[in-house]
Each structure stands twice: as structure tokens, then as C-alpha cells.
């Protein structure tokens, strides 16, 4: 019983203190704010060819996707539900309004199968391309819209945005001692529970194809498992008497950075999957957690209280190497994510208007002194880079309301998607 209470306290400390405390258009340094001129991107009119209200789901999601991508000036009219592509006068009217594309959407349900049809009209060559997308479950309609948006994005040869089609995996706190592992689309409109019955925490994708993921099951000990979503295999990885969390995974998936507390408080460990070799990288009397690879995986950054408050440090990927402070702004810098040379982190500070404590997001580079502020209002935490490094997902809380946020670095815009009946403990995408 003592061990279980200890695990809960340690996890709570980690979760509260460290969590709460376009080619030609993207700058080489992401810490520099980029302003995109909307005159230089194409205009697209999105329409639905269906008349009924219950056939508008894919259409509305496509509008949201194209806005979030930021590679188009998006025009739409929810009241317009007709086949524009068969109406020459309508096409000429939109041409006079300087439209470059018409994206016409239709959807059809047959049994449990939902079919979405995209007809993309290109004014530059007076041609229509028709694509069809199917899902075996109606509730998966967001992925039809995401696939359409990806196709349109690729059609104009804009920077890839494959994150649209990827799953977000998260731990949803349900009740005392219960947290489920759930997958969702990036807007959290689609959700499906994968693992339940127990305190299941800290999910992390194990591979680029999102077939497997790591997670921590807390009982009297903390145990890391690797779960395959397609065959149900649940493989034991490692057990620790205290904390056991997969913080980061190497690019080829053969190494893990773990936060473990086998004795006392937590340190950072390197776990080599093939030979199951475990190497302790930090040895500190306090708390070291949340290690992330950086600089071509030659080093790692992590959060530590060695200054008396949570802050971010860097160390070469060798045991007992020298530790260097890398963030000098803020006195409570908690959750982090990395991509290449970049670090995004959450920092506690006073709100400029209310004076209340809030958390804001900052972006820094391990190779320069620039710091870019990414948020201004609310409590913003658990930032996570997309796999292409151009977007950051985070959790926003403001006035007792929670939302998932997406920051698009190359267009300097952010988007919020409200969360209902969801209490996120951790996520990965």
C-alpha cells in the first residue's frame, strides 16, 4: 500500500508540478515569426452538393481542415447546397470573384459504410478531378474530410500536412484510479477507447505508422507496456517500483528515453530495445523527468528541479555527462517537446491583465538565443510537435473550459477545438 501511495504522489508531482507549474514561406529558424501574405495563396470555394442537414458533416470538417492548413483563402456558404459544377453561370460567377478552385463535397451512407466524394474544379485548366473516399464506420467521417484536404493540399504542391490523417493518442482520466487510452483525430471529433480498466497513462506512439504505442499501467508498481492496436498484443517492457514513463522514442524506434524511479526520485534512462539494455543517464538526488532527444539524437533535454524549481537542461547522450541549463526565461518551465534543434516548453508566469498565474508556450533553439512566444492567454500546457515539426498541439484551459490547440508555425496562426467530457492526462500525435 505504501508503494502504491508513493507512485501516486510521484505521478501527481510529475503531472501537476511539471505540467501545471510551405516552401519559400517557412523561415529556416522556426523561432522567427513568419507572416504570410494572404494575397499570395489561392482562393477556394467549398460547397456541398447535398441538400439535407445530415449530409453536411464532411463538408464542414473540410472547411475547418483547409482553414487550419493555411494554404488557401477559404470561402464557404452553409446555405448553398447544389451541384455548382453543372451550372456554367455559377462557375463564371465564381471566376469573376477570383476563385482559383471549387471544392464540391457529397456524402452517401449505405449500411455502415460512409462514402465521401470530392470534385475539385481547377479554373486554370478548366478541369474537374473527382476522388472518392470510404470509411466502414460513420463516426470516422472526419478522416474522409482530412483525406480530401490532404489531396487538395498536395494538388497545389503546398508543404505536406500528413498530420491531418494521423491519430492522436491520449490518456483520458475517468475516475479515481481509472484512466483510459483513447485514439482520436486531430480535432478530437472522432474518439475510440483502446485500453480501459485501470490507471493507464502516458501513451506514446512506438512507430511512424501508428500501429503500436507504449503506455504505463500503474498498479502497486508502474509498468511500461507496448500495445499493438491491430493484433491486440500487449508486450511487457519494464517495471519500476516508482515512476515508469516513456518520454521519447528515437527516429528509427530502437531507443527509448525513460523517466524511471526504481529507488528514490526519478532520473532519465536510455533503453535499447533490441538487447534490452538499460543505461542511467542522469544521477541526481532530486527529480529529472521528461527526456527528449535533440541535435540528431546526440544529446537530450529534460526537466529538472536542480535549481529549486522546474527548468530545462541539456546533456550529451552518455552517462554522467555534464549538464547545461538551456532555458533562462521563467522560473517554472515544465513540459517539453523537441523536433530537430527546437524545443517547445510550457512556462508559468503572471497574466499581463489579471496578474493570475498562467502557463504560456515558448519556442527556443538549441543553436541560437532566440525565444519565440507562442501563446498569450489562458493556461497552455503539454505541447507536442507534429512529426513534420511545423505544427504544435497543446492543451488550453481558460475560464473553466478546455480545448485542444494547434499552432501552425509557418503561418503564425493557432486554432482551438473545444473538448467535451474529456480530461486529458497526456497525449501524443
Amino acid at each position: 500500500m505504501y508503494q502504491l501511495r508513493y507512485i501516486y504522489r510521484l505521478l501527481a508531482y510529475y503531472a501537476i508540478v511539471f505540467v501545471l507549474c510551405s516552401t519559400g514561406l517557412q523561415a529556416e529558424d522556426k523561432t522567427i515569426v513568419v507572416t504570410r501574405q494572404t494575397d499570395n495563396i489561392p482562393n477556394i470555394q467549398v460547397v456541398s452538393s447535398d441538400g439535407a442537414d445530415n449530409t453536411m458533416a464532411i463538408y464542414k470538417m473540410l472547411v475547418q481542415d483547409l482553414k487550419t492548413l493555411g494554404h488557401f483563402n477559404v470561402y464557404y456558404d452553409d446555405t448553398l447546397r447544389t451541384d455548382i459544377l453543372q451550372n456554367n453561370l455559377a462557375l463564371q460567377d465564381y471566376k469573376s470573384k477570383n476563385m482559383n478552385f471549387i471544392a464540391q463535397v457529397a456524402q452517401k451512407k449505405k449500411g455502415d459504410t460512409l462514402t465521401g466524394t470530392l470534385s475539385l474544379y481547377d479554373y486554370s485548366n478548366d478541369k474537374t478531378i473527382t476522388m472518392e473516399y470510404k470509411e466502414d464506420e460513420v463516426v470516422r467521417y472526419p478522416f474522409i474530410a482530412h483525406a480530401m484536404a490532404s489531396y487538395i493540399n498536395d494538388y497545389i504542391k503546398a508543404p505536406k500536412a500528413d498530420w491531418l490523417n494521423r491519430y492522436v493518442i491520449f490518456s483520458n482520466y475517468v475516475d479515481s484510479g481509472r484512466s483510459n487510452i483513447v485514439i482520436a483525430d486531430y480535432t478530437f471529433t472522432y474518439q475510440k477507447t483502446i485500453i480501459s480498466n485501470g490507471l493507464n497513462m502516458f501513451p506514446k506512439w512506438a512507430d511512424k505508422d501508428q500501429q503500436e504505442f507504449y503506455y504505463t499501467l500503474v498498479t502497486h508498481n508502474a509498468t511500461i507496456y507496448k500495445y499493438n492496436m491491430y493484433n491486440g498484443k500487449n508486450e511487457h517492457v519494464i517495471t519500476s517500483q516508482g515512476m515508469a514513463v516513456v518520454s521519447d522514442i528515437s527516429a528509427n524506434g530502437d531507443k527509448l528515453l525513460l523517466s524511471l524511479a526504481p529507488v528514490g526520485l526519478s532520473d532519465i534512462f536510455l533503453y535499447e530495445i533490441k538487447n534490452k539494455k538499460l543505461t542511467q543517464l542522469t544521477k541526481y538526488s532530486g527529480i529529472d523527468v521528461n527526456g527528449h532527444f535533440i541535435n540528431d539524437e546526440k544529446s537530450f533535454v529534460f526537466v529538472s528541479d536542480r535549481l529549486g524549481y522546474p527548468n530545462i537542461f541539456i546533456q550529451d547522450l552518455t552517462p554522467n555527462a555534464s549538464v547545461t541549463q538551456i532555458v533562462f526565461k521563467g522560473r517554472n518551465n515544465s513540459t517539453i517537446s523537441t523536433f530537430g534543434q527546437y524545443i517547445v516548453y510550457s512556462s508559468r508566469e503572471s497574466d499581463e491583465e489579471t496578474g493570475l498565474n498562467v502557463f504560456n508556450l515558448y519556442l527556443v533553439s538549441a543553436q541560437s538565443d532566440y525565444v519565440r512566444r507562442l501563446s498569450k492567454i489562458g493556461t497552455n500546457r503539454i505541447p507536442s510537435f507534429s512529426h513534420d515539426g511545423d505544427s504544435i498541439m497543446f492543451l488550453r484551459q481558460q475560464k473553466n473550459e478546455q480545448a485542444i490547440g494547434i499552432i501552425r508555425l509557418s503561418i503564425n496562426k493557432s486554432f482551438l477545438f473545444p473538448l467535451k467530457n474529456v480530461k486529458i492526462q497526456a497525449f501524443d500525435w
Side-chain angles (χ1 to χ4, degrees):
M1 181 60 70
Y2 171 78
Q3 281 186 330
L4 185 58
R5 288 198 300 267
Y6 170 74
I7 292 169
Y8 273 97
R9 287 200 302 270
L10 193 56
L11 288 173
Y13 187 85
Y14 177 74
I16 295 174
V17 175
F18 286 90
V19 172
L20 291 178
C21 317
S22 130
T23 55
L25 291 173
Q26 182 174 345
E28 291 184 2
D29 191 339
K30 294 178 186 292
T31 59
I32 299 174
V33 177
V34 178
T35 301
R36 180 191 294 256
Q37 297 296 324
T38 56
D39 292 341
N40 296 331
I41 60 178
N43 300 324
I44 188 167
Q45 178 75 43
V46 185
V47 297
S48 173
S49 63
D50 299 320
D53 288 338
N54 60 3
T55 62
M56 297 286 286
I58 296 175
Y59 158 83
K60 291 180 178 179
M61 185 63 71
L62 177 60
V63 169
Q64 179 62 67
D65 285 348
L66 293 174
K67 287 181 177 180
T68 306
L69 282 173
H71 299 150
F72 297 88
N73 294 314
V74 184
Y75 298 84
Y76 58 100
D77 183 352
D78 291 348
T79 65
L80 181 62
R81 304 174 191 180
T82 184
D83 189 348
I84 285 180
L85 302 184
Q86 299 301 316
N87 187 330
N88 190 59
L89 288 177
L91 287 176
Q92 292 304 312
D93 181 50
Y94 283 113
K95 184 177 182 179
S96 68
K97 296 176 181 177
N98 297 318
M99 288 299 155
N100 302 104
F101 300 96
I102 303 289
Q104 185 168 284
V105 180
Q107 68 180 64
K108 183 184 298 183
K109 180 178 178 294
K110 185 176 181 180
D112 294 329
T113 300
L114 183 66
T115 301
T117 303
L118 169 69
S119 298
L120 182 65
Y121 178 73
D122 185 348
Y123 276 99
S124 68
N125 56 25
D126 190 29
K127 288 184 178 180
T128 300
I129 301 171
T130 300
M131 304 291 292
E132 192 173 87
Y133 305 88
K134 292 185 178 181
E135 288 288 350
D136 293 335
E137 298 177 90
V138 174
V139 293
R140 288 181 56 85
Y141 76 86
F143 289 102
I144 292 180
H146 301 338
M148 290 179 176
S150 295
Y151 176 80
I152 297 171
N153 187 72
D154 293 346
Y155 182 83
I156 66 167
K157 295 180 171 56
K160 289 282 188 181
D162 294 339
W163 52 266
L164 280 173
N165 304 298
R166 292 174 63 84
Y167 288 119
V168 180
I169 189 165
F170 66 98
S171 176
N172 181 29
Y173 180 79
V174 179
D175 202 349
S176 177
R178 288 182 51 216
S179 188
N180 297 338
I181 304 296
V182 185
I183 58 172
D185 75 311
Y186 84 93
T187 69
F188 281 65
T189 303
Y190 168 81
Q191 295 181 28
K192 181 178 180 179
T193 299
I194 303 298
I195 295 177
S196 59
N197 298 323
L199 192 58
N200 306 289
M201 310 174 77
F202 303 107
K204 195 80 174 175
W205 288 116
D207 60 321
K208 294 180 180 179
D209 296 331
Q210 297 190 317
Q211 295 185 7
E212 297 179 311
F213 61 86
Y214 296 99
Y215 72 101
T216 301
L217 174 63
V218 179
T219 53
H220 60 284
N221 288 322
T223 302
I224 296 173
Y225 290 94
K226 183 167 72 170
Y227 183 83
N228 188 301
M229 291 203 304
Y230 295 91
N231 61 24
K233 182 180 179 181
N234 204 26
E235 178 184 351
H236 174 273
V237 177
I238 195 170
T239 296
S240 174
Q241 292 182 354
M243 174 183 287
V245 178
V246 176
S247 299
D248 201 11
I249 301 168
S250 62
N252 62 8
D254 65 343
K255 297 182 182 68
L256 308 177
L257 283 178
L258 307 180
S259 299
L260 298 177
V263 178
L265 299 178
S266 60
D267 279 295
I268 308 299
F269 291 75
L270 179 70
Y271 183 79
E272 299 174 52
I273 295 174
K274 289 184 179 180
N275 57 17
K276 298 184 179 181
K277 180 182 178 181
L278 185 67
T279 303
Q280 185 169 352
L281 298 177
T282 67
K283 204 171 219 182
Y284 168 60
S285 59
I287 294 179
D288 289 344
V289 292
N290 211 2
H292 282 71
F293 292 106
I294 198 168
N295 294 336
D296 297 322
E297 300 178 3
K298 296 176 182 177
S299 50
F300 66 99
V301 295
F302 62 101
V303 177
S304 176
D305 68 349
R306 58 188 66 205
L307 295 180
Y309 58 89
N311 202 12
I312 302 168
F313 299 83
I314 189 169
Q315 177 182 320
D316 287 343
L317 204 66
T318 53
N320 301 316
S322 61
V323 175
T324 304
Q325 181 179 347
I326 197 170
V327 172
F328 295 90
K329 176 180 173 58
R331 289 186 57 84
N332 193 328
N333 303 319
S334 51
T335 48
I336 58 177
S337 179
T338 58
F339 179 83
Q341 71 188 54
Y342 298 100
I343 306 161
V344 59
Y345 67 94
S346 175
S347 179
R348 190 181 70 185
E349 54 196 20
S350 296
D351 184 83
E352 296 174 356
E353 295 182 0
T354 66
L356 298 175
N357 284 334
V358 296
F359 278 78
N360 279 310
L361 302 180
Y362 289 87
L363 182 69
V364 297
S365 169
Q367 299 178 10
S368 72
D369 295 328
Y370 289 107
V371 179
R372 176 177 170 184
R373 185 174 179 174
L374 301 177
S375 64
K376 294 182 179 179
I377 59 174
T379 294
N380 308 276
R381 52 194 184 94
I382 323 182
S384 178
F385 274 105
S386 60
H387 73 294
D388 63 2
D390 192 43
S391 300
I392 294 170
M393 182 176 286
F394 64 99
L395 187 65
R396 158 79 61 85
Q397 184 168 352
Q398 185 180 10
K399 296 180 179 179
N400 298 320
E401 295 182 353
Q402 282 196 336
I404 279 292
I406 299 284
I407 298 172
R408 301 279 289 114
L409 293 175
S410 61
I411 63 174
N412 196 32
K413 289 185 178 181
S414 62
F415 303 86
L416 294 176
F417 304 94
L419 293 173
K420 296 180 180 179
N421 302 318
V422 175
K423 295 182 179 179
I424 294 179
Q425 175 267 332
F427 70 85
D428 189 31
W429 70 322

